[in-house]
Amino acid sequence: RLEGVTGEVACRGLHNGAQLDGVTGNLMLKQATVLRQPLQNLHGKFHVAREAPDVLRLPGLRGEWFGGEVYGPLRMEFGPTPRYELRLSAANVKLEELARQNLPPGVQVSGTASAELYLSGQGGDLTGMIGGGTIDVPSGKMYNLPVLLDLLKVLGLRWPDRTAFEEGRAQFEIKGPRVTFKKLDLFGNAISLRG
């Protein structure tokens, strides 16, 4: 479901009275919200081939997401059971903006992140969805450090700045409504966690 959509869509093609018979177009959405995630300046070309009138392809969708960029191909198959497949990349996403929208109050993060996401599935609910991806925070700050870890920083001859981790990497899988982290690495000056 897309919500709060504003923008323009233009296309050219044919309809033979029963189905689409080849359509090509462009979209430029100033804003749209997908799964409570706000996107701006979403643009790309789309195509419905004559041989596959129920398949919509967006080979190079691009947009802005939390101060960064998101891009990649998207394929949607309409019919009795809708099917979808997408492979998106995100770069230079501002963690402060992402956290404000998606994390509980009081969680403090800063820096930028990049991510890769692959999803495919069928139907209108989450049970038919599979996928996975990665998240990379090459240089950031994840705050709200407990006093004990601040003490470890002092013992390590570092100024206590309440920063828990400066770098993070995660690899995850998606099966239906469940996300499983297969690998999680958090690196900090006082302590690092891997698993």
Side-chain angles (χ1 to χ4, degrees), residues 7 34 37 39 84 88-90 106 134 152 158 174 177 180 192-193 195:
V34 181
Q37 303 303 302
L39 297 163
Y84 55 89
L88 296 176
S89 299
T134 60
L152 288 174
R158 296 190 186 276
I174 299 171
T180 304
S192 293
L193 301 174

Side-chain angles (χ1 to χ4, degrees), residues 2 5-9 26-34 37-45 58 60-65 69-72 74 88:
L2 292 173
V5 178
T6 61
E8 299 177 13
V9 177
N26 292 290
L27 64 87
M28 177 58 189
L29 305 180
K30 290 182 181 179
Q31 64 183 22
T33 301
V34 181
Q37 303 303 302
L39 297 163
Q40 291 86 31
N41 300 320
L42 193 61
H43 59 92
K45 296 183 181 214
L58 292 101
L61 193 61
R62 296 184 91 78
E64 296 171 14
W65 184 53
E69 186 177 19
V70 63
Y71 48 91
L74 170 68
L88 296 176

Side-chain angles (χ1 to χ4, degrees), residues 164-178:
F165 304 105
E166 288 85 18
E167 187 178 345
R169 291 189 183 95
Q171 185 178 16
F172 60 90
E173 279 185 356
I174 299 171
K175 289 184 182 175
R178 182 171 294 235

Side-chain angles (χ1 to χ4, degrees), residues 16-112:
N16 65 16
Q19 63 187 23
L20 292 174
D21 197 16
V23 175
T24 300
N26 292 290
L27 64 87
M28 177 58 189
L29 305 180
K30 290 182 181 179
Q31 64 183 22
T33 301
V34 181
L35 299 173
R36 295 186 1 232
Q37 303 303 302
L39 297 163
Q40 291 86 31
N41 300 320
L42 193 61
H43 59 92
K45 296 183 181 214
F46 61 88
H47 181 69
V48 177
R50 176 176 285 147
E51 311 79 53
D54 292 337
V55 178
L56 173 67
R57 295 178 191 272
L58 292 101
L61 193 61
R62 296 184 91 78
E64 296 171 14
W65 184 53
F66 296 116
E69 186 177 19
V70 63
Y71 48 91
L74 170 68
R75 179 185 185 275
M76 296 171 48
E77 185 176 331
F78 301 99
T81 304
R83 299 178 195 282
Y84 55 89
E85 183 177 9
L86 60 94
R87 187 174 297 275
L88 296 176
S89 299
N92 299 317
V93 175
K94 292 188 170 98
L95 291 173
E96 300 93 335
E97 295 179 27
L98 180 73
R100 239 187 327 270
Q101 173 77 20
N102 294 292
L103 297 178
V107 175
Q108 296 177 341
V109 294
S110 65
T112 60

